Amino acid sequence: MKAIPTTYRGVDFRSRLEARWAQFFDAIGVCYEFEPEGYETSAGRYLPDFWLPFVRLRGVHLGVFFEVKPASPTVGE
């Protein structure tokens, strides 16, 4: 199935699924940035879907990237 670009709160998401996750993050009060910046890695280019800057683990401020996929990731992903 082809992704349907969707605008939510003035942000153009590449798919409805990404827009739904943004809506969910808003509903539970999680701060996020959508596709904040791309990176060059040894495996190629990487553009994370979301950056969640205020995620904490065991009291340590980490921030995490959050990827949206319509199915389970493949071995290569």
Side-chain angles (χ1 to χ4, degrees):
M1 178 183 288
K2 187 173 179 172
I4 299 171
T6 303
T7 301
Y8 170 69
R9 289 193 165 184
V11 177
D12 294 325
F13 293 91
R14 296 176 191 270
S15 70
R16 285 185 180 177
L17 183 58
E18 289 173 341
R20 282 189 207 129
W21 274 101
Q23 205 172 19
F24 173 72
F25 291 144
D26 285 340
I28 63 171
V30 171
C31 180
Y32 65 87
E33 297 173 29
F34 178 67
E35 295 185 343
E37 120 180 53
Y39 300 92
E40 286 287 337
T41 71
S42 60
R45 293 181 179 174
Y46 172 57
L47 179 62
D49 293 324
F50 291 92
W51 169 245
L52 310 178
F54 299 113
V55 170
R56 297 175 68 98
L57 178 62
R58 296 183 181 148
V60 177
H61 173 88
L62 298 172
V64 296
F65 290 114
F66 185 88
E67 280 295 319
V68 174
K69 300 291 184 203
S72 297
T74 65
V75 173
E77 293 172 328

